Amino acid sequence: MPEAGVTRYLVDPGLSGLRLDQGLAQLTGLSRRRAKTLVAEGWVWLNGRACRVESKVLQVGDVVDVLPVPDPLRPPQPLPPPLPVLYEDGWLVAVNKPPGMLTQPAPERLPGELSTVEHLALQLSYREGHRVELKVVHRLDRIASGLVLFAKHHDAAAALSRLFAGRSVDKVYLAVVSGHPPAETTINAPIAPDPLLPGRFRVGAGGKKAATRLRLVARGDGVFLVEVRPLTGRTHQLRVHLQSIGCPIVGDTLYGSQTEAPRPMLHAFGLSLPHPRGGQKLQLTAPVPLDFLAFCRSHGLALPEAEEAVTPAPLSSSGS
């Protein structure tokens, strides 16, 4: 937290790429000339250190502290609600992503929308008083909720990438599906882009090899709760594989669901992996969000006790 009298600002994606004096003027409401003066006279700190370089280029997550000055400053923008941190150390951090939020920035997104990596970077940077750089090592679809893991530096990112590539990470998802899923099965089916609809995938010859294990967990009123474990990491793999056996994820209209739901009922529940530094086993779980739990209960699906814990309500439809 900033010291008494110090005004702390965070650089969001809208200010990234600006010079320090330009960003400071926008953050504080001061004129560009006055912002230049404050920087030149040492009243401005950047990421925990005094910075007199007015042309310094700002990046997302930079922390700009203004020491007590006589000028009336615009109050900082309120911080977004914090993401639930499930695990954190000097190498990695895991959070419970709400549905509706991108994992990383996309070319097309809503004005002012923050991805999970940006949201978390701002959250940690404010706490630490300097920019925290995070590296994405795996992703969730926007529609899904659940556990996402980020590396805190290059060595961690390289080690985690090797673990994912070497299939040393066990990923567990919960999904509500329609159809008639078997008690247990392994789906082995190649996945390729759908030539008729950009952004959609399908099972098809010539696609990339993909395998998913499925286990039936509970039966409800016309829907079923299944545990699915992707053995490979293809785009939309779980959604495509479940649709291919006649069991689309409830609410996933892109892949043929005709059952109404607040959103596609897919949650990344757990990750098990050796720690990238010491090798000790990490067993991480992400409690299901309220919308997932409420849908299950309303359709007579009883979640196992270990999965009953809930997280705050998901994002609004704006995704902000």
Side-chain angles (χ1 to χ4, degrees), residues 10-311:
L10 291 174
V11 175
D12 63 25
L15 298 176
S16 179
L18 296 182
R19 291 162 45 113
L20 175 57
D21 57 343
Q22 293 174 316
L24 182 64
Q26 291 198 29
L27 289 167
T28 61
L30 300 175
S31 68
R32 175 91 175 270
R33 177 177 294 181
R34 180 56 178 162
K36 284 176 176 283
T37 300
L38 292 182
V39 173
E41 294 181 353
W43 294 100
V44 179
W45 286 42
L46 181 65
N47 294 321
R49 296 183 178 182
C51 181
R52 297 174 184 264
V53 182
E54 62 193 40
S55 61
K56 182 75 173 179
V57 176
L58 297 175
Q59 301 179 54
V60 175
D62 276 341
V63 178
V64 179
D65 287 328
V66 181
L67 304 183
V69 294
D71 308 78
L73 302 179
R74 178 180 295 152
Q77 289 291 324
L79 292 174
L83 293 172
V85 175
L86 304 169
Y87 178 86
E88 182 182 7
D89 61 23
W91 279 62
L92 52 89
V93 56
V95 299
N96 198 351
K97 184 187 87 67
M101 180 181 282
L102 293 162
T103 300
Q104 62 184 7
E108 296 183 6
R109 54 175 168 170
L110 300 172
E113 180 182 12
L114 292 176
S115 65
T116 307
V117 66
E118 293 167 332
H119 189 131
L120 182 61
L122 294 176
Q123 180 176 324
L124 300 182
S125 296
Y126 187 87
R127 184 192 71 188
E128 298 297 328
H130 60 80
R131 176 165 45 87
V132 174
E133 294 192 37
L134 299 173
K135 300 181 184 298
V136 178
V137 292
H138 78 117
R139 288 166 290 279
L140 288 183
D141 293 344
R142 181 198 281 270
I143 57 98
S145 58
L147 204 154
V148 186
L149 195 64
F150 299 99
K152 284 191 168 182
H153 49 73
H154 176 76
D155 289 344
L160 286 168
S161 294
R162 287 193 296 270
L163 291 173
F164 277 92
R167 301 185 184 179
S168 299
V169 181
D170 185 23
K171 295 174 280 188
V172 181
Y173 291 74
L174 296 175
V176 180
V177 301
S178 55
H180 297 283
E184 287 191 28
T185 191
T186 298
I187 307 166
N188 284 288
I191 293 176
D194 189 332
L196 300 179
L197 186 60
R200 190 179 188 271
F201 293 80
R202 63 182 178 86
V203 166
K208 295 181 179 179
K209 292 182 179 180
T212 301
R213 287 180 186 157
L214 176 149
R215 180 177 68 88
L216 179 61
V217 176
R219 301 173 186 268
D221 300 330
V223 295
F224 303 83
L225 180 67
V226 296
E227 176 190 278
V228 280
R229 297 174 182 257
L231 306 182
T232 50
R234 309 304 179 201
T235 303
H236 292 188
Q237 176 174 319
L238 300 181
R239 301 165 70 183
V240 173
H241 272 178
L242 289 169
Q243 185 270 341
S244 74
I245 64 169
C247 300
I249 295 172
V250 167
D252 192 359
T253 55
L254 183 63
Y255 288 100
S257 174
Q258 297 181 359
T259 305
E260 288 190 11
R263 49 101 175 179
M265 293 286 103
L266 178 65
H267 178 72
F269 180 68
L271 281 178
S272 177
L273 71 159
H275 193 281
R277 183 183 185 187
Q280 70 272 25
K281 187 174 183 180
L282 289 178
Q283 191 82 36
L284 308 176
T285 58
V288 299
L290 287 173
D291 67 337
F292 194 101
L293 180 64
F295 184 87
C296 288
R297 288 178 172 170
S298 68
H299 288 74
L301 285 172
L303 272 68
E305 183 177 348
E307 291 140 13
E308 279 282 351
V310 298
T311 59

